[in-house]
């Protein structure tokens, strides 16, 4: 052994698990249980949907190939003796609850109305070798439970085992239905395969939503059959585009993994890239001075009927092909000097006898009503609620982003909220300004560590009568300073923090307050959370540490792991955990 | 074209180059020059050393395989016509200057006394197709010039070309001889192949020194033939060790690339890992309370004669096998409560009638004299100069790390300085605390962007008569929160900033003040620096963007590039450069 550890600490450490988000109800034991060589899943369901059977196949593949050794200093060696005598688990039976509705594909359930989705499941893993059981009301619930099951197992020289049997999860379900990640694919392009890998990671932590900020001022990568010129002229290059087939591929891949893809075409601001193909629709393109928020400047001529019609048709073309019940129209950072200086806009406002705010209101009404007419509920950024004198219809959802402190103001207007605050959830802060000269101060400095995100309180300054307005939340990557090369380290494991905030809720299953577990002085709780998120990171690696070092001995190029971790990550958890109590 | 760019800006952009660090003397033109299909290097030297011919082979390989398209919006497409008529360069002749001393291997010159090294070179690349010439006084100078030559070339559909002919570098040489990077391989282990990849990156930006912080309290990965138990018991695992052969492999690999490896065995603090094999030599191992700086606590019993003898023999065993003229003995963060509470230490101090400070002084004298006896010059951290009442001999070098403001105090004591200040050069700051509960505040927050490091002034508060004390500087990676998985993005391209600070010095070759180029309002200069560091990042990628996207089309796993970039990086330089003037 490389260290001296007290017996109590050993027991504590062997309880450490890879469950993330931790189920809201959880009972575990301390019995070693192996996975039998011939372990298999048994699906006790008539006519199971194909995406469920595929999910089971993937779960089986993971069990066979994920060789994570438990992250304790001896990597589980002290379990060797006990494993020889441990019982073996031969099967996990999946079934629907007696009163469950007819099963539908995961992909169908993933895009249901938010509050219609039933992601609940119950999981029992006995310690005596008798079959485990997973039960839910829907394929989506079974999928969530399958994920939990997959997070129980560790490897010791080919033996797959858990240290926590028996495991009982009674009706785990998420505290909030909207649990997601936002990715900006305009400031930098992300190929389909990188987005799929991101979706894999999201599904592993039971996320339900991918907010796809697909276009913005810097580039227009979105191919639209009815408006091919937008991407032809507005993408960074022909390769840096998403064809309509690519979009469907991503949407389908996500849905099969329980993820609803909510696309955003931000407007009327953040639309300079439209000018490459339709300069007639864009004001102050590549302007200077105060028309510039983030360069290049350029905003849709929102007082122009032609521009409005163009936009309505374009949004329709895009949204009508997406299965989600939601569509995000943006509406952040509308630059007023841009419109004040645009002669055409001034003329059109004058002609129609409207102020700029009137026109913004008309624009939002028109775009939102068109989306409603094709069955979409609109989502906007907070300015549409807080900064503009417009009336939103009451189905509209607002993303609070400028500051977590703004949630109360949005709730006061009785608007449904998705938490996306920069001060907790922006993954891109803290690396210095992107325009070159800044000496370390990006606007939303400092770096938001996983701990910071983990301590977010969705109900801060929200009254009991307003709680129903909170749909959930997401962490966000803006891509001025990111691309496929750093997608993994910039996103993971930090984005997992909100996955637990919005699934597990304010209280961990043992009754500990979640925020206090990190922000407080409860060392045991802190150690437990740290252990779980380190397991998460390690498990998402392509290969175990041991295999990787083996490769190095064989003088091969060290494999780049599937998920590099962010530099805010403590990499030697297997050792530091034993020192944790020594620090405070 | 994807954008409208003014002609002036086009010319400016096409001057943007990948030269980093930029030579201290540089004249360039605007003539396109191709590399001929049969381009070759010609070595006009009798009996060239093998490592020089190998370096030339590597340079040739790079020219054949590096397919970086110039980072402008059209990726150089507008050069296509001009390239058809451009002249071709058939050869680069390497030669020694007439009065140069007998050539020696690069590896020999790389470890010379600091001020004895001659890294200067002159490079002429004519624009008329006649051969280019590279001349220097040493193989090391030729190696530096070869690196400069390699940074001139871009690709356009298989044509390799430069836009800057004729290029004249007259006697480029570094402003400071010590230009390096520090890596901590104790808090987390880094396999040999990762260290070699780091050395490749260092050599590309002409760095001269690798400061290897090989051991510390958390683990002892260093295998020592005479003291095998240290790594056997103190390493994280048997695989996470550097055998004596590994050490030689790294030292040789580095030296062949013009890099001196200065090893540090930090002591008497930061030595808890010795307790795994020699508990008798370590005080307050895994203690609690105020004996703990960074856990685990544990320091060598510096009042013990047995411990001193052990340490002297161990340091001798290690240092005697390393070719460097330097050896670093650490000496930072000596925890006094640890010794105050250690009964054995108190007894030994009492018996020898010494205070703790006396014993620290004796310890340093003894360890440093032993190193001197085997030809090594000792290096220490600043506390040994500023915080302890000890007398260092005047060959000792100090690394200023706690704050850049401490350099003046060290200089006031007439001690030679290597700049390693946390406030500019620590690569690990800004990701949150590693002990779990910190909500975003690592001790040296915020993140140190490349711009911050770039604006470092080695002579701030240093008088003219003290300037000779400044040997150079380095950026540092402490590895509590890093490992091989994020080595590239955490280190590059940020570490390149100091490479230019200490090679190019305070003034860019066109006379611009280097600090003002980033910190000031000179947009042209800022754009130029930004362009060059973006080229650097792109060039270190394994493959061009185009190839990578091609792979994605072929539905292969996206290749992980050789060098992922740090998240503080602006990834879309090819486009944003044109907006730069719009921002300020």
């Amino acid at each position: 052994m490389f260290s001296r550890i007290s017996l109590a600490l050993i027991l504590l450490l062997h309880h450490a698990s890879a469950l993330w988000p931790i189920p809201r109800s959880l009972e575990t034991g301390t019995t070693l249980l192996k996975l039998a060589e011939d372990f298999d899943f048994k699906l006790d369901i008539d006519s199971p949907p194909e995406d469920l059977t595929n999910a089971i196949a993937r779960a089986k593949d993971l069990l066979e190939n994920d060789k994570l050794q438990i992250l304790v200093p001896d990597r589980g060696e002290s379990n060797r003796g006990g494993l020889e005598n441990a019982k073996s688990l031969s099967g996990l039976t999946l079934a629907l609850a007696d009163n469950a509705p007819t099963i539908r594909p995961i992909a169908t359930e993933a895009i249901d109305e938010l509050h219609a989705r039933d992601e609940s499941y119950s999981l029992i893993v006995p310690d005596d070798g008798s079959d485990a059981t997973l039960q839910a009301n829907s394929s989506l619930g079974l999928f969530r439970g399958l994920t939990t099951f997959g997070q129980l197992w560790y490897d010791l020289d080919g033996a797959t085992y858990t240290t926590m049997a028996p495991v009982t999860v009674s009706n785990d379900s998420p505290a909030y239905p909207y649990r997601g990640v936002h990715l900006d694919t305009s400031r930098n392009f992300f190929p389909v395969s990188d987005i799929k890998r991101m979706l894999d990671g999201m599904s592993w932590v039971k996320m339900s939503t991918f907010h796809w900020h697909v276009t913005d001022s810097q580039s227009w990568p979105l191919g639209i059959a009815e408006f091919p010129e937008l991407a032809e002229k507005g993408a960074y290059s022909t390769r840096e585009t998403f064809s309509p087939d690519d979009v469907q591929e991503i949407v389908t891949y996500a849905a099969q993994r329980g993820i609803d893809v909510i696309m955003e075409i931000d407007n009327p601001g953040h639309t300079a890239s439209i000018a490459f193909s339709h300069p007639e629709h864009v004001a102050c393109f590549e302007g200077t001075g105060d028309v510039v928020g983030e360069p290049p400047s350029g905003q849709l001529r929102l007082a122009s009927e032609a521009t409005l019609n163009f936009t309505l048709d374009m949004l329709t073309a895009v949204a009508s092909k997406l299965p989600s019940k939601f569509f995000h129209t943006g509406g952040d950072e509308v630059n007023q000097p841009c419109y004040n200086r645009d002669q055409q806009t001034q003329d059109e406002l004058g002609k129609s006898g409207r102020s700029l705010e009137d026109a913004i209101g008309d624009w939002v009404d028109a775009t939102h009503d068109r989306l409603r007419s094709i069955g979409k509920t609109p989502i906007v950024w907070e300015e549409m609620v807080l900064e503009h004198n417009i009336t939103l219809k009451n189905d509209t959802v607002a993303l609070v982003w400028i500051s977590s402190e703004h949630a109360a103001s949005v709730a006061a207007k009785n608007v449904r909220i998705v938490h996306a605050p920069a001060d907790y959830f922006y993954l891109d802060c803290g690396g210095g300004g992107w325009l070159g000269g800044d000496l370390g101060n990006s606007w939303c400095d400092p770096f938001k560590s996983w701990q910071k995100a983990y301590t977010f309180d969705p109900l801060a300054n929200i009254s009991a009568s307003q709680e129903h307005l909170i749909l959930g939340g997401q962490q966000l990557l803006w891509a001025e300073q990111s691309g496929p090369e750093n997608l993994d380290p910039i996103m993971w494991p930090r984005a997992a923090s909100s996955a637990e905030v919005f699934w597990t809720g304010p209280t961990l299953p043992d009754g500990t307050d979640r925020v206090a577990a990190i922000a407080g002085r409860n060392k045991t709780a802190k150690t437990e959370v740290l252990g779980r998120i380190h397991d998460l990171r390690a498990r998402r690696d392509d290969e175990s540490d041991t295999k990787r070092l083996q490769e190095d001995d064989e003088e091969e190029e060290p494999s780049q792991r599937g998920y590099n971790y962010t530099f805010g990550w403590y990499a030697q958890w297997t050792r530091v955990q034993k020192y944790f109590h020594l620090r405070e």
Side-chain angles (χ1 to χ4, degrees), chain A residues 474-493:
Chain A
Q474 60 186 27
Q475 279 165 278
L476 303 87
L477 180 62
W478 295 100
E480 287 88 346
Q481 297 177 311
S482 288
E485 300 90 336
N486 73 323
L487 175 61
D488 293 351
I490 194 79
M491 185 167 281
W492 305 106

Side-chain angles (χ1 to χ4, degrees), chain A residues 333-378:
Chain A
E333 299 180 317
V334 176
N335 178 288
Q336 306 210 9
C338 174
Y339 291 127
N340 295 344
R341 298 195 203 303
D342 186 56
Q343 195 56 52
Q344 181 181 333
T345 297
Q346 291 306 308
D347 291 345
E348 285 159 343
L349 288 175
K351 239 185 268 176
S352 56
R354 295 180 297 167
S355 68
L356 182 57
E357 279 298 314
D358 291 336
I360 291 172
D362 289 346
W363 178 273
V364 173
D365 280 348
T367 51
H368 285 193
D369 281 347
R370 173 65 73 92
L371 288 165
R372 288 185 185 100
S373 77
I374 58 170
K376 306 302 182 192
T377 298

Side-chain angles (χ1 to χ4, degrees), chain A residues 184-205:
Chain A
D184 155 20
T185 61
S186 166
R187 275 64 176 266
N188 269 297
F189 182 75
F190 292 80
V192 170
S193 51
D194 292 279
I195 293 177
K196 284 176 160 179
R197 193 174 70 256
M198 180 191 75
L199 292 167
D200 287 340
M202 290 169 63
S203 139
W204 187 245
V205 295

Side-chain angles (χ1 to χ4, degrees), chain A residues 409-546:
Chain A
S409 308
V410 174
K413 299 203 170 203
N414 208 35
V415 174
R416 292 186 296 167
I417 287 169
V418 168
H419 288 295
D423 46 329
Y424 282 85
F425 287 162
Y426 270 30
L427 298 166
D428 51 297
C429 307
W434 64 267
L435 276 163
D438 287 330
L439 301 184
N441 298 316
S442 64
W443 80 270
C444 57
D445 267 12
F447 181 83
K448 311 306 173 197
S449 63
W450 75 266
Q451 300 96 315
K452 178 69 176 174
Y454 191 81
T455 60
F456 180 74
D457 177 8
L459 300 179
N461 304 312
I462 301 294
S463 71
S465 64
Q466 291 170 330
E467 285 184 22
H468 71 282
L469 296 171
I470 309 299
L471 303 181
Q474 60 186 27
Q475 279 165 278
L476 303 87
L477 180 62
W478 295 100
E480 287 88 346
Q481 297 177 311
S482 288
E485 300 90 336
N486 73 323
L487 175 61
D488 293 351
I490 194 79
M491 185 167 281
W492 305 106
R494 287 190 297 157
S497 288
S498 62
E500 182 146 309
V501 170
F502 294 107
W503 180 284
T504 309
T507 310
L508 301 176
D510 66 0
T512 311
D513 179 88
R514 172 180 51 75
V515 172
I518 284 295
R521 303 196 66 75
N522 182 338
K523 284 177 277 182
T524 305
K526 203 175 290 187
T527 306
E528 192 273 334
V529 175
L530 272 167
R532 286 190 296 109
I533 200 167
H534 274 83
D535 268 59
L536 176 73
R537 187 280 291 183
R539 198 173 290 269
R540 295 309 300 170
D541 285 341
D542 277 342
E543 306 176 58
S544 71
D545 290 338
T546 305

Side-chain angles (χ1 to χ4, degrees), chain A residues 266-271 298-300 302 329 331 334 339 360 363-364 384:
Chain A
D266 199 351
N267 72 92
H270 289 271
T271 45
Q299 304 187 130
L300 285 169
L302 50 66
T329 61
V334 176
Y339 291 127
I360 291 172
W363 178 273
V364 173
M384 286 279 138

